[in-house]
Structure formats: structure tokens, C-alpha cells
Amino acid sequence: MPTVAPLDIEGHVVTAAFLGDIPVFAAASGAIHRLDGGEKVTEAHQGLLACVKDSADQTLVSGGEDGKVLRIAHDGSVTELAQVPRKWVSVVAAGPQGAVAYAVGKTGYVRLADGTIKEFTEERTIEALDFAPKGLRVAAARYNGVTLHWIGTTGAPVDLEWKGAHTGVTFSPDGRFVVTTMQENALHGWKLDSKSAETRHMRMTGYPAKVKSLSWSVKGKWLASSGAPAAIVWPFSGKEGPMGKAPLELGTRANIMVTQVAFHPAEEVLAIGYIDGMILAVRIADGKEALLRRPGKGAITSMGWSANGKLVAYASEAGDCGVIDISA
């Protein structure tokens, strides 16, 4: 597999993504590198802490040590969405209708497309945020669980309790499940449409390391995760999600940990990035593997597919980045 346009960026790279046809790489330094007829650089933050792709309008949403929340377009132009003076913004999320969420300490904010900012508070530090696929509903991960907030309505917040530190959160594409990564080596899930407390909880344990990366398949039938020497892929197609079912283990390598997972935008194919810089693509249907990148410098920290599913942008903690053409 040829790597098109390898990039050597100084330091840790947080996010690799495609904005339209343009591959972009967000570095921890605050610089946004993009490959658009050559390498171009936008100095966005003084220290970048969090960066996610907003698929709805093909931009990046980022938070930094400078207290700014920015929207970065494919041409490198930067729009300041919010600023929290003298604070670090290390949690951001992109939502429907142009909404963006961010958090500082125990306070969460949702900025609507018209610039209105709604605020909510938790009793503990907000570790992660995610928007439900429909409607302005936000999940805030915290110590001992998750809180679901409806933004702009009077509905009371819903507390999903589970003891322990929850460090990441994601809604399933159909909005029926919420899953968190935990400080311990585990995932925890809640079935939102369950009336019974017994069937509501989903425990996904047995990982040898912390789970840092999650990715849903295109229709939400599968949830892939890092944290083991294989991608651990949980089945979510049934009514009860993964309960009572064993996960798939894809791309198994002895003692070499998976650090990133990213599902193809249209097919049930998973890109798997490892701690030694290697990247594999694995087809769910038959477990068939294709080597996309041999081991390189630094653990893979992010991967993003192009919309047509033919290119994969990748980044590493050593700044070793590039684009792989899987159709070649």
C-alpha cells in the first residue's frame, strides 16, 4: 500500500481527518497542517488539547490551552466559537444543527449555531461529551456515570449511574445506547430504551489496557475498541446490544497493542492502528486482513477515512503522518 505524501510533523499529532477532499492533521502544538497542493500550516491554538471532526459541515472543532474553542475549515480558515479566559478547554464535541459542546472543569457549554450559549453543571469534572444523533441532547461523562442533558428544553437531566471514573462517551448511531470508556480497563454501556434496571446495564470487560479509541460501524451494528493486542469489536445489532455475546477479535498481534480503530464510512471494514505504528484493514465478514502500513515511528494516535472510503489519513505520537491509498 503506497503512502501518499508522508508528513513529518514536530511532536504529538492529536487528530487526522479528511475535510472534504483535504487531509488535515492537528498537532498538540496548536498547528493545523493540511495537504492542499502541498503542505500548508495554520497556527490555530497556543497548545491544542482536543480536536474532533464535524462531519455535518466538514470542519474541525478544537479546544486549547488558550481557552479558545475554534472551528477550522478545509482551507485553513479559523472561526472563534467561544473563549473561556485563563482556562484549558480539553473537552469538545460537534453536534447536529451546527451545535458545539465544550467543557471546563464541572461546567459544560453548548454553543448553538446562532451563537447562543447554554450552560450546565455537574457535581464532578466533565471528562467527555457527545451529542445524540438526533435532537440537541448531550451526554456528559463524569465520575460515577453519565448525565444526559436536553439543550433548550425544560426536560430534567437523566443520570446514568455506574461506579468508577468514566473518561469517554459515545452514543450509538441509532441513539439507543450510550457507551463509556473507563479509567479501569473496561467499557460500560446503558440501553436507553430499557425499562428494567437489570437489562439496562452493559459491562464490557477483560481488556489488558485502557480503552482510548472507539468507532461505530456505518449502521451501528458493531462497536470497535482499542486496549488489547487485537481490535475488540462488540455486536450491537440485537435488541439487547452485546449482552451475552462474545466480541470479535480482529487483527490479533501477540503483545502489540491496538491504539486506534476507525470504521470505513460505507462498508464493514475496520482500520486498526497499533502502538508500533502499523496499520491493518480487516473485513468484518470474513476477518480478511490487508496491511496498510508497516511499523513506523510512534504509536498511531488518529485515523480518518475519506468520504469515498479510498484514502486513510493517519497520525502518530511522533508526528509521523500521511495518507494511504487503499484503492491502489
Side-chain angles (χ1 to χ4, degrees):
M1 287 291 166
T3 291
V4 187
L7 262 184
D8 195 5
I9 295 170
E10 198 168 320
H12 180 102
V13 177
V14 176
T15 303
F18 277 88
L19 302 181
D21 298 330
I22 309 296
V24 293
F25 305 87
S29 65
I32 310 296
H33 300 251
R34 60 190 207 284
L35 291 175
D36 184 7
E39 184 186 355
K40 295 176 179 158
V41 182
T42 301
E43 297 296 340
H45 287 277
Q46 294 168 334
L48 179 140
L49 296 168
C51 185
V52 297
K53 178 180 171 179
D54 185 345
S55 297
D57 69 353
Q58 297 293 307
T59 59
L60 296 179
V61 174
S62 60
E65 293 174 19
D66 48 14
K68 292 178 180 174
V69 180
L70 305 178
R71 191 183 286 282
I72 300 149
H74 67 89
D75 60 359
S77 59
V78 175
T79 306
E80 185 174 306
L81 300 178
Q83 188 165 11
V84 189
R86 297 181 302 283
K87 299 287 187 189
W88 286 20
V89 180
S90 58
V91 179
V92 295
Q97 303 161 38
V100 167
Y102 56 101
V104 174
K106 298 173 185 176
T107 308
Y109 306 88
V110 174
R111 183 194 186 274
L112 305 177
D114 65 3
T116 308
I117 293 179
K118 310 279 186 184
E119 195 176 307
F120 58 90
T121 55
E122 297 287 345
E123 288 180 11
R124 307 295 286 264
T125 299
I126 297 169
E127 300 289 348
L129 294 164
D130 193 34
F131 281 93
K134 291 192 178 128
L136 282 173
R137 196 178 202 192
V138 176
R142 50 170 169 76
Y143 197 76
N144 287 344
V146 173
T147 310
L148 305 181
H149 296 270
W150 284 104
I151 305 303
T153 68
T154 53
V158 175
D159 286 325
L160 306 175
E161 297 296 331
W162 188 261
K163 283 205 177 340
H166 298 260
T167 55
V169 64
T170 178
F171 275 97
S172 62
D174 61 7
R176 289 174 54 227
F177 301 99
V178 169
V179 179
T180 60
T181 56
M182 296 193 67
Q183 190 65 31
E184 59 191 85
N185 302 342
L187 303 180
H188 194 79
W190 292 266
K191 188 167 174 269
L192 298 183
D193 55 4
S194 173
K195 300 288 180 276
S196 151
E198 292 305 306
T199 60
R200 179 168 220 185
H201 287 283
M202 298 176 287
R203 297 184 66 183
M204 290 160 271
T205 58
Y207 291 88
K210 282 188 189 50
V211 181
K212 300 275 182 71
S213 176
L214 295 174
S215 179
W216 291 97
S217 65
V218 57
K219 295 202 168 78
K221 278 171 63 176
W222 303 96
L223 176 63
S225 56
S226 66
I232 307 299
V233 185
W234 297 94
F236 271 81
S237 52
K239 222 166 77 171
E240 301 304 326
M243 287 307 83
K245 298 176 191 159
L248 302 177
E249 297 189 21
L250 302 182
T252 304
R253 294 175 70 200
N255 305 325
I256 297 177
M257 300 299 275
V258 171
T259 54
Q260 284 291 312
V261 287
F263 263 112
H264 187 282
E267 297 169 31
E268 290 186 345
V269 170
L270 182 66
I272 305 171
Y274 297 84
I275 198 165
D276 64 354
M278 191 169 117
I279 301 174
L280 277 181
V282 184
R283 198 161 55 199
I284 293 272
D286 56 8
K288 188 166 188 287
E289 297 179 359
L291 178 65
L292 300 190
R293 181 177 188 254
R294 297 186 185 284
K297 281 191 306 188
I300 299 298
T301 51
S302 181
M303 296 182 295
W305 290 87
S306 61
N308 63 10
K310 291 182 177 174
L311 302 171
V312 180
Y314 66 87
S316 88
E317 66 181 11
D320 203 8
C321 303
V323 178
I324 301 159
D325 184 349
I326 71 162
S327 62

